[in-house]
């Protein structure tokens, strides 16, 4: 009886480990479409140059940024680690590189340009491009996925993100992302020369 219980527990823990290892990316096929879901965490270290692990740097300010109540015209550049779990030391699955421009004169609005470069798994080295609008005060932010390369040529979809944790003292925030993209491999049928 004891052996059966231990055997069962081992099998269950192996199944859980297998599910955890691959759960950051899943693809289902519907008709001629592949729909891929990503679920991962972006680590934004915005503590400034005094921290050696900073991943976000200011690129520019506009002439009105210093007097703008909404930081209008300020642009940040970043290169953030993306991991399968919320812990920064969990498996790196991508880097995300891009810019965030404060684009609202009346509200804290950001025009985001983010490029996910996948570094793990079956889609290693494919990219996903995201560009669009976020209102900083929104709890859930939705931004269009505008395309991709490699396995994600002609992809489209959307990304939902929310703040998983934030530490204002060190400027460290963890953002949880769920990205859904559709890609058809049969969409370009080039028959010309
Ligand atoms: C970043 O570096 C600081 C200072 O070296 C350290 O205290 C902090 O834990 C680091 N942050 C992360 C998320 O690793
Ligand atoms: C933008 O302005 C802020 C506030 O004055 C300043 O701390 C920052 O260094 C400036 N950044 C750039 C890139 O000029
Ligand atoms: C991903 O590709 C890089 C080369 O760009 C290679 O070094 C690495 O081993 C690959 N990783 C996986 C998990 O396939
Ligand atoms: C779906 O993905 C599979 C595995 O990567 C691939 O072989 C197939 O061509 C894809 N199908 C479509 C319609 O994109």
């Amino acid at each position: 009886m004891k052996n059966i219980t231990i055997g069962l527990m081992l099998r269950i823990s192996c199944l859980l480990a297998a599910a955890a290892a691959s759960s950051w990316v899943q693809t289902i096929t519907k008709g001629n479409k592949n729909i891929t879901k990503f679920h991962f965490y972006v680590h934004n270290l915005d503590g400034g140059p005094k921290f050696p692990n900073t991943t976000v740097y200011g690129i520019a300010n506009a002439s009105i940024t210093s007097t703008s109540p909404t930081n209008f015209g300020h642009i940040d550049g970043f290169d953030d680690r993306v991991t399968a779990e919320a812990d920064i030391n969990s498996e790196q699955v991508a880097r995300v590189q891009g810019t965030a421009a404060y684009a609202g004169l009346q509200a804290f609005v950001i025009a985001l340009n983010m490029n996910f470069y996948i570094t793990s798994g079956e889609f290693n080295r494919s990219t996903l491009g995201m560009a669009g609008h976020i209102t900083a005060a929104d709890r859930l932010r939705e931004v269009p996925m505008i395309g991709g390369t490699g396995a994600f040529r002609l992809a489209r979809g959307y990304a939902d993100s929310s703040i998983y944790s934030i530490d204002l003292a060190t400027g460290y925030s963890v953002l949880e992302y769920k990205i859904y993209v559709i890609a058809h491999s049969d969409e370009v049928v080039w028959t010309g020369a």
Side-chain angles (χ1 to χ4, degrees), residues 23-174:
S23 65
W24 66 277
V25 58
Q26 285 169 281
T27 299
I28 57 170
T29 303
K30 279 192 181 166
N32 68 341
K33 297 185 180 91
N34 278 338
I35 305 166
T36 302
K37 176 190 177 191
F38 297 88
H39 180 198
F40 46 42
Y41 298 84
V42 170
H43 300 272
N44 201 245
L45 286 96
D46 193 6
K50 63 180 181 289
F51 290 105
N53 51 11
T54 290
T55 62
V56 184
Y57 287 88
I59 292 174
N61 287 320
S63 56
I64 70 157
T65 304
S66 62
T67 54
S68 164
T70 54
N71 214 23
F72 184 87
H74 180 73
I75 301 176
D76 281 327
F78 53 85
D79 178 357
D80 290 347
R81 180 176 168 91
V82 181
T83 57
E85 306 295 332
D87 182 347
I88 193 169
N89 296 313
S90 66
E91 181 198 4
Q92 175 178 298
V93 298
R95 301 293 301 191
V96 63
Q97 295 146 345
T99 53
Y102 285 80
L105 284 167
Q106 284 142 16
F108 273 103
V109 165
I110 294 171
L112 262 184
N113 158 31
M114 284 174 71
N115 301 300
F116 292 89
Y117 178 69
I118 299 166
T119 58
S120 170
E122 64 174 308
F123 303 127
N124 195 17
R125 304 180 68 192
S126 290
T127 70
L128 289 162
M130 188 184 100
H133 163 284
I134 66 173
T135 296
D138 286 350
R139 245 174 52 79
L140 187 69
R141 292 118 174 219
E142 186 173 321
V143 180
M145 298 304 297
I146 57 166
T149 61
F152 300 105
R153 286 179 177 177
L154 297 172
R156 58 193 174 277
Y158 67 96
D160 277 338
S161 69
S162 56
I163 295 172
Y164 178 85
S165 65
I166 188 158
D167 176 2
L168 293 174
T170 59
Y172 174 42
S173 51
V174 180

